[in-house]
Amino acid sequence: MPFFPEQFTFPDGRTFEQRPQQEAMAQKVYYSLSEGMNLCVEAPTGVGKSMAYLLPAVRWFRATERTKPIIISTHTKHLQEQLLSKDVPAVQRILGDDFKAVIGMGRGNYICMRRMNAAATGSPDFLPDESMIPEVFRIKSWADTSQNGCKTELPFAVEASAWNSTNAEEGNCLNQRCPHFKPCFFQKSRRGLYAADIIIVNHALFFSDLAIKAETGDPKAGILPEASAYILDECHTIEDVASIHLGVRISAGSFLYLLRRIYNKRSKRGAIATVSQSRGRDLAAFLHDQVTEFFQSLHEWLPDDVKNYRIKEPILQENPLAAGLTELCGHLELYANEAEDDAERETELRSLSRRLLKLCDNLTFFLRASSEEHVFWFEKSSRYLTMHAAAVDVAPILQELLFDAKLPVISTSATLALDGKLDYYRQRVGMKNSLDLILDSPFDFANQMKVFAAQSISSPKAQGYEAESLAQLRYFIHMSGGGAFVLFTSFSHM
């Protein structure tokens, strides 16, 4: 029985065109889901792969009466919006099924009412710099009338420091003890995820959530609920994304931001500004200077003419910042114990302690550079320095955490095959056991397009390149009668 009707009008008025490649993919997706098997599909441009997996996935979801959602992960925001605004309504119309689909975002994208109200009071405990107060009030004025408190709907640009003082920060939540728990923007979004049939996320959130579940050993940890199946679109990017989110990234700014939140020597504000003992404040101020000096010394130690510098042996066996950072975390825990009657303050202090200790452990891991399973490198600019540690081979990790799990995974992208096979891609990502499908494009390239190469244009580095390229663009656009699709590698050129 075919999945796609012979005739169909999309909600936006477009007429559906049957494509055998799209139908073939839909049939294979349904079979793989029904058999609980992984599937890898190369679906070139024009196949309509998003509907080719969405339609059979929803039909399977309903036919098997699943209670856990299907999670679809994409690399780009554009595809997420296309899925929700175009493909989901189309599939709902074809099936006559008003299934619920939502976009999932990380908690840092949402306002925390408790932290926002505390920051808006100007309290030195919750706002490290009083210059942020006007910006916090702008955020609060918007949040008071917002339906979902999501950063993507802010009608104005916001300073990162102000947003980070008011958002739903990981590890800094009172949960049901919070007076704002029921109307909480993040909790409402999470309840929406658990009530959804289809959840659409980006790869960054997907793999961050996967890492949390793996680290805790709890499938219910993280933001995303347990799923009945995973669909990875634009899956050619998952090796790089997984490597980043299953690895380590450290900068001086990440340390300094936390230390200023703990105590800002200049403004005399911060989470421990009002404690009676001065040792914690003195230590936080000292560590702020020590971190700055340490990262500056590393910056000067690296060669001037490199942007990325590979580390192949330990830099230091011992972390010179570890003793002070660990002591400061001990003070934060002590202050938190003394604030047990103030749940809000206790939660803030313990959150800062955990995050600072995690940063310290990551720095130690990088400086020792002893893991043979990771590659270590510095990323350097004229002013800043960032440390990276990424898994050399994510295949074993993804095989264990994702592809050998007890639920089917559908992976698809426009370009995956090498020499007519998907073996190389599947080997790189650990997708050993899988059905394969390679489709051709429904486009008649021989009759529908032509390729021209501008022979006389200058090098992109040449001074007159932009003017020459624009002249060539006008020529080819005129030649095609406007039927041209232009790709740019530079925003300024575009």
PDB file of all heavy atoms in Angstrom, residues 75-99:
ATOM      1  N   HIS A  75      20.536  19.325  11.769  1.00  0.00           N
ATOM      2  CA  HIS A  75      21.697  20.181  12.024  1.00  0.00           C
ATOM      3  C   HIS A  75      21.333  21.661  11.967  1.00  0.00           C
ATOM      4  O   HIS A  75      21.889  22.472  12.720  1.00  0.00           O
ATOM      5  CB  HIS A  75      22.799  19.894  11.007  1.00  0.00           C
ATOM      6  CG  HIS A  75      24.073  20.640  11.274  1.00  0.00           C
ATOM      7  ND1 HIS A  75      24.839  20.424  12.387  1.00  0.00           N
ATOM      8  CD2 HIS A  75      24.708  21.614  10.562  1.00  0.00           C
ATOM      9  CE1 HIS A  75      25.893  21.221  12.360  1.00  0.00           C
ATOM     10  NE2 HIS A  75      25.835  21.957  11.274  1.00  0.00           N
ATOM     11  N   THR A  76      20.405  22.033  11.091  1.00  0.00           N
ATOM     12  CA  THR A  76      20.118  23.447  10.863  1.00  0.00           C
ATOM     13  C   THR A  76      18.754  23.861  11.404  1.00  0.00           C
ATOM     14  O   THR A  76      17.799  23.089  11.399  1.00  0.00           O
ATOM     15  CB  THR A  76      20.165  23.790   9.361  1.00  0.00           C
ATOM     16  OG1 THR A  76      19.188  22.995   8.678  1.00  0.00           O
ATOM     17  CG2 THR A  76      21.530  23.486   8.775  1.00  0.00           C
ATOM     18  N   LYS A  77      18.687  25.103  11.842  1.00  0.00           N
ATOM     19  CA  LYS A  77      17.429  25.670  12.314  1.00  0.00           C
ATOM     20  C   LYS A  77      16.418  25.744  11.174  1.00  0.00           C
ATOM     21  O   LYS A  77      15.204  25.557  11.377  1.00  0.00           O
ATOM     22  CB  LYS A  77      17.688  27.072  12.887  1.00  0.00           C
ATOM     23  CG  LYS A  77      16.455  27.749  13.453  1.00  0.00           C
ATOM     24  CD  LYS A  77      16.809  29.125  14.015  1.00  0.00           C
ATOM     25  CE  LYS A  77      15.571  29.828  14.553  1.00  0.00           C
ATOM     26  NZ  LYS A  77      15.896  31.180  15.074  1.00  0.00           N
ATOM     27  N   HIS A  78      16.912  26.009   9.953  1.00  0.00           N
ATOM     28  CA  HIS A  78      16.026  26.117   8.787  1.00  0.00           C
ATOM     29  C   HIS A  78      15.216  24.843   8.602  1.00  0.00           C
ATOM     30  O   HIS A  78      14.008  24.896   8.348  1.00  0.00           O
ATOM     31  CB  HIS A  78      16.850  26.411   7.534  1.00  0.00           C
ATOM     32  CG  HIS A  78      16.060  26.341   6.257  1.00  0.00           C
ATOM     33  ND1 HIS A  78      15.186  27.338   5.870  1.00  0.00           N
ATOM     34  CD2 HIS A  78      15.989  25.380   5.294  1.00  0.00           C
ATOM     35  CE1 HIS A  78      14.615  26.998   4.722  1.00  0.00           C
ATOM     36  NE2 HIS A  78      15.087  25.816   4.357  1.00  0.00           N
ATOM     37  N   LEU A  79      15.866  23.682   8.721  1.00  0.00           N
ATOM     38  CA  LEU A  79      15.151  22.425   8.523  1.00  0.00           C
ATOM     39  C   LEU A  79      14.165  22.167   9.656  1.00  0.00           C
ATOM     40  O   LEU A  79      13.066  21.636   9.425  1.00  0.00           O
ATOM     41  CB  LEU A  79      16.136  21.264   8.399  1.00  0.00           C
ATOM     42  CG  LEU A  79      15.526  19.886   8.124  1.00  0.00           C
ATOM     43  CD1 LEU A  79      14.573  19.911   6.944  1.00  0.00           C
ATOM     44  CD2 LEU A  79      16.628  18.848   7.893  1.00  0.00           C
ATOM     45  N   GLN A  80      14.516  22.555  10.862  1.00  0.00           N
ATOM     46  CA  GLN A  80      13.573  22.412  11.980  1.00  0.00           C
ATOM     47  C   GLN A  80      12.300  23.208  11.698  1.00  0.00           C
ATOM     48  O   GLN A  80      11.184  22.712  11.905  1.00  0.00           O
ATOM     49  CB  GLN A  80      14.216  22.914  13.270  1.00  0.00           C
ATOM     50  CG  GLN A  80      15.371  22.064  13.766  1.00  0.00           C
ATOM     51  CD  GLN A  80      16.072  22.722  14.939  1.00  0.00           C
ATOM     52  OE1 GLN A  80      15.431  23.059  15.942  1.00  0.00           O
ATOM     53  NE2 GLN A  80      17.363  22.930  14.825  1.00  0.00           N
ATOM     54  N   GLU A  81      12.477  24.445  11.241  1.00  0.00           N
ATOM     55  CA  GLU A  81      11.314  25.288  10.962  1.00  0.00           C
ATOM     56  C   GLU A  81      10.501  24.739   9.795  1.00  0.00           C
ATOM     57  O   GLU A  81       9.269  24.806   9.799  1.00  0.00           O
ATOM     58  CB  GLU A  81      11.780  26.716  10.675  1.00  0.00           C
ATOM     59  CG  GLU A  81      12.391  27.398  11.899  1.00  0.00           C
ATOM     60  CD  GLU A  81      13.014  28.740  11.573  1.00  0.00           C
ATOM     61  OE1 GLU A  81      13.229  29.020  10.365  1.00  0.00           O
ATOM     62  OE2 GLU A  81      13.320  29.495  12.517  1.00  0.00           O
ATOM     63  N   GLN A  82      11.198  24.185   8.783  1.00  0.00           N
ATOM     64  CA  GLN A  82      10.495  23.588   7.648  1.00  0.00           C
ATOM     65  C   GLN A  82       9.668  22.397   8.095  1.00  0.00           C
ATOM     66  O   GLN A  82       8.505  22.230   7.685  1.00  0.00           O
ATOM     67  CB  GLN A  82      11.491  23.137   6.587  1.00  0.00           C
ATOM     68  CG  GLN A  82      10.850  22.371   5.417  1.00  0.00           C
ATOM     69  CD  GLN A  82      11.845  21.582   4.600  1.00  0.00           C
ATOM     70  OE1 GLN A  82      12.835  22.146   4.157  1.00  0.00           O
ATOM     71  NE2 GLN A  82      11.604  20.287   4.422  1.00  0.00           N
ATOM     72  N   LEU A  83      10.237  21.562   8.940  1.00  0.00           N
ATOM     73  CA  LEU A  83       9.518  20.388   9.436  1.00  0.00           C
ATOM     74  C   LEU A  83       8.248  20.806  10.168  1.00  0.00           C
ATOM     75  O   LEU A  83       7.166  20.252   9.929  1.00  0.00           O
ATOM     76  CB  LEU A  83      10.416  19.575  10.367  1.00  0.00           C
ATOM     77  CG  LEU A  83      11.411  18.627   9.697  1.00  0.00           C
ATOM     78  CD1 LEU A  83      12.507  18.215  10.671  1.00  0.00           C
ATOM     79  CD2 LEU A  83      10.688  17.391   9.173  1.00  0.00           C
ATOM     80  N   LEU A  84       8.381  21.781  11.076  1.00  0.00           N
ATOM     81  CA  LEU A  84       7.234  22.153  11.902  1.00  0.00           C
ATOM     82  C   LEU A  84       6.184  22.948  11.138  1.00  0.00           C
ATOM     83  O   LEU A  84       4.982  22.735  11.315  1.00  0.00           O
ATOM     84  CB  LEU A  84       7.714  22.962  13.114  1.00  0.00           C
ATOM     85  CG  LEU A  84       6.666  23.176  14.218  1.00  0.00           C
ATOM     86  CD1 LEU A  84       6.256  21.846  14.833  1.00  0.00           C
ATOM     87  CD2 LEU A  84       7.189  24.109  15.287  1.00  0.00           C
ATOM     88  N   SER A  85       6.615  23.851  10.254  1.00  0.00           N
ATOM     89  CA  SER A  85       5.659  24.753   9.601  1.00  0.00           C
ATOM     90  C   SER A  85       5.105  24.204   8.288  1.00  0.00           C
ATOM     91  O   SER A  85       4.005  24.591   7.870  1.00  0.00           O
ATOM     92  CB  SER A  85       6.310  26.115   9.344  1.00  0.00           C
ATOM     93  OG  SER A  85       7.402  25.988   8.438  1.00  0.00           O
ATOM     94  N   LYS A  86       5.830  23.295   7.617  1.00  0.00           N
ATOM     95  CA  LYS A  86       5.385  22.806   6.312  1.00  0.00           C
ATOM     96  C   LYS A  86       5.114  21.302   6.292  1.00  0.00           C
ATOM     97  O   LYS A  86       4.040  20.855   5.904  1.00  0.00           O
ATOM     98  CB  LYS A  86       6.422  23.155   5.237  1.00  0.00           C
ATOM     99  CG  LYS A  86       6.561  24.656   4.993  1.00  0.00           C
ATOM    100  CD  LYS A  86       7.542  24.935   3.856  1.00  0.00           C
ATOM    101  CE  LYS A  86       7.642  26.431   3.580  1.00  0.00           C
ATOM    102  NZ  LYS A  86       8.583  26.725   2.458  1.00  0.00           N
ATOM    103  N   ASP A  87       6.107  20.511   6.720  1.00  0.00           N
ATOM    104  CA  ASP A  87       5.971  19.057   6.593  1.00  0.00           C
ATOM    105  C   ASP A  87       4.962  18.474   7.574  1.00  0.00           C
ATOM    106  O   ASP A  87       4.176  17.595   7.212  1.00  0.00           O
ATOM    107  CB  ASP A  87       7.335  18.386   6.782  1.00  0.00           C
ATOM    108  CG  ASP A  87       8.331  18.801   5.707  1.00  0.00           C
ATOM    109  OD1 ASP A  87       7.891  19.022   4.561  1.00  0.00           O
ATOM    110  OD2 ASP A  87       9.521  18.910   6.000  1.00  0.00           O
ATOM    111  N   VAL A  88       4.981  18.932   8.812  1.00  0.00           N
ATOM    112  CA  VAL A  88       4.033  18.409   9.801  1.00  0.00           C
ATOM    113  C   VAL A  88       2.588  18.696   9.385  1.00  0.00           C
ATOM    114  O   VAL A  88       1.749  17.783   9.378  1.00  0.00           O
ATOM    115  CB  VAL A  88       4.337  18.981  11.206  1.00  0.00           C
ATOM    116  CG1 VAL A  88       3.163  18.744  12.154  1.00  0.00           C
ATOM    117  CG2 VAL A  88       5.595  18.332  11.773  1.00  0.00           C
ATOM    118  N   PRO A  89       2.217  19.941   9.006  1.00  0.00           N
ATOM    119  CA  PRO A  89       0.837  20.171   8.554  1.00  0.00           C
ATOM    120  C   PRO A  89       0.451  19.336   7.336  1.00  0.00           C
ATOM    121  O   PRO A  89      -0.695  18.883   7.225  1.00  0.00           O
ATOM    122  CB  PRO A  89       0.823  21.671   8.217  1.00  0.00           C
ATOM    123  CG  PRO A  89       1.922  22.254   9.043  1.00  0.00           C
ATOM    124  CD  PRO A  89       2.976  21.201   9.087  1.00  0.00           C
ATOM    125  N   ALA A  90       1.416  19.113   6.420  1.00  0.00           N
ATOM    126  CA  ALA A  90       1.129  18.307   5.231  1.00  0.00           C
ATOM    127  C   ALA A  90       0.830  16.863   5.605  1.00  0.00           C
ATOM    128  O   ALA A  90      -0.140  16.257   5.120  1.00  0.00           O
ATOM    129  CB  ALA A  90       2.298  18.370   4.260  1.00  0.00           C
ATOM    130  N   VAL A  91       1.647  16.282   6.486  1.00  0.00           N
ATOM    131  CA  VAL A  91       1.427  14.898   6.915  1.00  0.00           C
ATOM    132  C   VAL A  91       0.142  14.779   7.735  1.00  0.00           C
ATOM    133  O   VAL A  91      -0.588  13.792   7.631  1.00  0.00           O
ATOM    134  CB  VAL A  91       2.650  14.379   7.705  1.00  0.00           C
ATOM    135  CG1 VAL A  91       2.364  13.019   8.332  1.00  0.00           C
ATOM    136  CG2 VAL A  91       3.867  14.300   6.795  1.00  0.00           C
ATOM    137  N   GLN A  92      -0.145  15.786   8.537  1.00  0.00           N
ATOM    138  CA  GLN A  92      -1.415  15.782   9.285  1.00  0.00           C
ATOM    139  C   GLN A  92      -2.606  15.739   8.332  1.00  0.00           C
ATOM    140  O   GLN A  92      -3.594  15.030   8.567  1.00  0.00           O
ATOM    141  CB  GLN A  92      -1.498  17.025  10.187  1.00  0.00           C
ATOM    142  CG  GLN A  92      -0.586  16.966  11.396  1.00  0.00           C
ATOM    143  CD  GLN A  92      -0.558  18.271  12.180  1.00  0.00           C
ATOM    144  OE1 GLN A  92      -0.770  19.358  11.614  1.00  0.00           O
ATOM    145  NE2 GLN A  92      -0.272  18.194  13.472  1.00  0.00           N
ATOM    146  N   ARG A  93      -2.515  16.487   7.226  1.00  0.00           N
ATOM    147  CA  ARG A  93      -3.608  16.505   6.261  1.00  0.00           C
ATOM    148  C   ARG A  93      -3.709  15.166   5.524  1.00  0.00           C
ATOM    149  O   ARG A  93      -4.818  14.661   5.321  1.00  0.00           O
ATOM    150  CB  ARG A  93      -3.409  17.647   5.263  1.00  0.00           C
ATOM    151  CG  ARG A  93      -4.469  17.709   4.187  1.00  0.00           C
ATOM    152  CD  ARG A  93      -4.347  18.939   3.310  1.00  0.00           C
ATOM    153  NE  ARG A  93      -4.715  20.161   4.015  1.00  0.00           N
ATOM    154  CZ  ARG A  93      -4.916  21.332   3.410  1.00  0.00           C
ATOM    155  NH1 ARG A  93      -4.770  21.432   2.088  1.00  0.00           N
ATOM    156  NH2 ARG A  93      -5.240  22.397   4.102  1.00  0.00           N
ATOM    157  N   ILE A  94      -2.585  14.578   5.129  1.00  0.00           N
ATOM    158  CA  ILE A  94      -2.600  13.296   4.418  1.00  0.00           C
ATOM    159  C   ILE A  94      -3.201  12.196   5.288  1.00  0.00           C
ATOM    160  O   ILE A  94      -4.033  11.402   4.835  1.00  0.00           O
ATOM    161  CB  ILE A  94      -1.182  12.906   3.970  1.00  0.00           C
ATOM    162  CG1 ILE A  94      -0.687  13.849   2.866  1.00  0.00           C
ATOM    163  CG2 ILE A  94      -1.137  11.459   3.465  1.00  0.00           C
ATOM    164  CD1 ILE A  94       0.771  13.642   2.494  1.00  0.00           C
ATOM    165  N   LEU A  95      -2.797  12.155   6.556  1.00  0.00           N
ATOM    166  CA  LEU A  95      -3.240  11.084   7.452  1.00  0.00           C
ATOM    167  C   LEU A  95      -4.556  11.392   8.153  1.00  0.00           C
ATOM    168  O   LEU A  95      -5.173  10.487   8.725  1.00  0.00           O
ATOM    169  CB  LEU A  95      -2.156  10.814   8.513  1.00  0.00           C
ATOM    170  CG  LEU A  95      -0.810  10.290   8.012  1.00  0.00           C
ATOM    171  CD1 LEU A  95       0.152  10.097   9.184  1.00  0.00           C
ATOM    172  CD2 LEU A  95      -0.987   8.969   7.270  1.00  0.00           C
ATOM    173  N   GLY A  96      -4.981  12.659   8.103  1.00  0.00           N
ATOM    174  CA  GLY A  96      -6.163  13.036   8.878  1.00  0.00           C
ATOM    175  C   GLY A  96      -5.915  12.852  10.359  1.00  0.00           C
ATOM    176  O   GLY A  96      -6.798  12.444  11.121  1.00  0.00           O
ATOM    177  N   ASP A  97      -4.691  13.136  10.778  1.00  0.00           N
ATOM    178  CA  ASP A  97      -4.253  12.877  12.150  1.00  0.00           C
ATOM    179  C   ASP A  97      -3.601  14.141  12.694  1.00  0.00           C
ATOM    180  O   ASP A  97      -2.557  14.573  12.207  1.00  0.00           O
ATOM    181  CB  ASP A  97      -3.262  11.712  12.159  1.00  0.00           C
ATOM    182  CG  ASP A  97      -2.807  11.328  13.565  1.00  0.00           C
ATOM    183  OD1 ASP A  97      -2.939  12.147  14.495  1.00  0.00           O
ATOM    184  OD2 ASP A  97      -2.305  10.201  13.722  1.00  0.00           O
ATOM    185  N   ASP A  98      -4.192  14.728  13.706  1.00  0.00           N
ATOM    186  CA  ASP A  98      -3.673  15.960  14.283  1.00  0.00           C
ATOM    187  C   ASP A  98      -2.650  15.632  15.376  1.00  0.00           C
ATOM    188  O   ASP A  98      -2.802  16.027  16.537  1.00  0.00           O
ATOM    189  CB  ASP A  98      -4.813  16.800  14.841  1.00  0.00           C
ATOM    190  CG  ASP A  98      -4.372  18.230  15.167  1.00  0.00           C
ATOM    191  OD1 ASP A  98      -3.376  18.684  14.583  1.00  0.00           O
ATOM    192  OD2 ASP A  98      -5.026  18.864  16.024  1.00  0.00           O
ATOM    193  N   PHE A  99      -1.600  14.888  15.002  1.00  0.00           N
ATOM    194  CA  PHE A  99      -0.573  14.521  15.976  1.00  0.00           C
ATOM    195  C   PHE A  99       0.165  15.775  16.440  1.00  0.00           C
ATOM    196  O   PHE A  99       0.205  16.789  15.748  1.00  0.00           O
ATOM    197  CB  PHE A  99       0.410  13.499  15.383  1.00  0.00           C
ATOM    198  CG  PHE A  99       1.163  13.986  14.175  1.00  0.00           C
ATOM    199  CD1 PHE A  99       2.369  14.644  14.297  1.00  0.00           C
ATOM    200  CD2 PHE A  99       0.656  13.775  12.887  1.00  0.00           C
ATOM    201  CE1 PHE A  99       3.060  15.084  13.188  1.00  0.00           C
ATOM    202  CE2 PHE A  99       1.343  14.213  11.765  1.00  0.00           C
ATOM    203  CZ  PHE A  99       2.547  14.877  11.917  1.00  0.00           C
TER     204      PHE A  99
END
